Amino acid sequence: MPSTDPATHLRQPPPAPPGVGSGTGVGSGPGTGRGGDGSGGGLDPGSGGGPEPGPGSRPGAGSRPGADPDEDDTLDLHLPAEFLAGPGRGAPPPPGGTARPPADADRFGAGNSASGTELLGDVADWPPVDAAVGVFQLVPVRVERDLAMISGWMNEPGVAAYWELAGPPETTGDHLRAQIRGDGRSVPCLGVLDGTPMSYWELYRADLDPLARHFPTRPHDTGVHLLIGSPSRRGRGLGTALLRTVADLVLTHRPVCHRVLAEPDVRNTASVAAFLRAGFRLAAEVDLPDKRAALVVRDRVPPPP
């Protein structure tokens, strides 16, 4: 599992320069907002063969969720022990930064809930797990620590096409802070694989999300958005393996949740394929405000044939 020793060095990809143009990507971003859906830009669709989704799936109206740690352009970062601390356990989010437009307030809830965990549980307490591709852990985002890296991923063309957060760091910073300062219905996390931050995830209460206006959700349905940051990590089966792992984590640590949902853009066929290979089923196609989405569901108990 990732070491909590302050002397531990985690290899982290340098941020891409802001303003990189958008392009195709793999990923699933926020459901009824912008971008792709849970596995959009940067999502790796499968464990072998076949196309792989771009850089992530983004929340909101679509889905949108860096470099290979062995490449020469990676940096050795000396990260403090609080790397594994969650919201409310270390320093509070830095002041400043404008909240996202009303759509984000609607999606993430109003108010400051740095220590409120009643809606999704305390993700910071979820331990590392042995996934098929290595030791994996979800680590809640700390803006002051993680913004440069996540913003760099958001400016990668394949990610930008689905997440629509390309631009200066504060564009991404505002999006992150809106979640952290919300009521706990959406939790932004880094995905750390074998000690290296390599993906960005959002877990959210789908039944409290604008998605519920377009699809019949059930109490405690949990949604997922994700992106795999580095193009060099896509197309190697990571996306499918990690989607399966994260769905298992949600269902293990949230016993009241019976379904994990995602809503990738139907055009992102690689992302949709990754979800299906990870044990999700296609439940419907739905028209969201800024995309037509494939609503995919991972059930705790598979429905009868």
Side-chain angles (χ1 to χ4, degrees):
M1 61 177 286
S3 171
T4 56
D5 184 343
T8 298
H9 286 72
L10 298 184
R11 294 181 67 79
Q12 209 167 355
V20 177
S22 64
T24 60
V26 185
S28 103
T32 54
R34 39 190 190 281
D37 129 292
S39 69
L43 171 64
D44 175 331
S47 56
E52 167 174 303
S57 111
R58 156 103 198 241
S63 295
R64 44 170 163 90
D68 189 298
D70 296 325
E71 297 205 322
D72 292 339
D73 62 350
T74 57
L75 302 176
D76 278 330
L77 298 185
H78 190 82
L79 297 181
E82 72 262 26
F83 181 82
L84 296 179
R89 298 189 176 189
T98 306
R100 302 281 306 176
D104 271 3
D106 182 27
R107 183 159 64 247
F108 303 141
N112 188 330
S113 179
S115 60
T117 60
E118 61 278 1
L119 293 181
L120 279 168
D122 197 346
V123 179
D125 284 344
W126 296 4
V129 294
D130 289 322
V133 290
V135 178
F136 180 79
Q137 184 171 21
L138 289 174
V139 177
V141 164
R142 294 271 303 279
V143 175
E144 67 275 22
R145 179 194 65 202
D146 306 324
L147 177 57
M149 177 173 57
I150 297 173
S151 177
W153 291 343
M154 292 299 181
N155 277 281
E156 198 278 319
V159 174
Y162 289 92
W163 283 75
E164 300 175 10
L165 288 175
E170 281 309 298
T171 300
T172 297
D174 288 347
H175 176 74
L176 297 173
R177 293 186 188 102
Q179 296 174 80
I180 293 170
R181 294 173 176 171
D183 62 6
R185 70 183 61 189
S186 183
V187 179
C189 297
L190 288 178
V192 179
L193 182 64
D194 292 332
T196 300
M198 46 71 67
S199 55
Y200 171 72
W201 300 74
E202 292 174 356
L203 303 182
Y204 68 97
R205 280 285 296 273
D207 56 328
L208 304 178
D209 188 81
L211 174 64
R213 302 169 189 163
H214 306 272
F215 179 79
T217 57
R218 301 173 186 172
H220 298 285
D221 276 353
T222 302
V224 59
H225 304 131
L226 90 100
L227 72 83
I228 290 179
S230 171
S232 67
R233 286 186 176 268
R234 301 172 205 152
R236 297 160 53 182
L238 283 175
T240 292
L242 295 182
L243 279 172
R244 185 179 294 112
T245 297
V246 169
D248 287 344
L249 281 169
V250 171
L251 295 173
T252 297
H253 294 285
R254 300 202 67 237
V256 295
C257 169
H258 293 279
R259 302 194 307 180
V260 180
L261 311 182
E263 65 314 319
D265 193 308
V266 295
R267 298 168 300 173
N268 194 342
T269 56
S271 179
V272 175
F275 278 105
L276 298 180
R277 283 194 288 269
F280 288 71
R281 61 182 172 85
L282 179 62
E285 289 190 8
V286 294
D287 289 314
L288 302 178
D290 52 8
K291 71 175 181 183
R292 183 165 180 80
L295 203 297
V296 293
V297 177
R298 162 77 183 275
D299 301 279
R300 180 182 292 278
V301 179

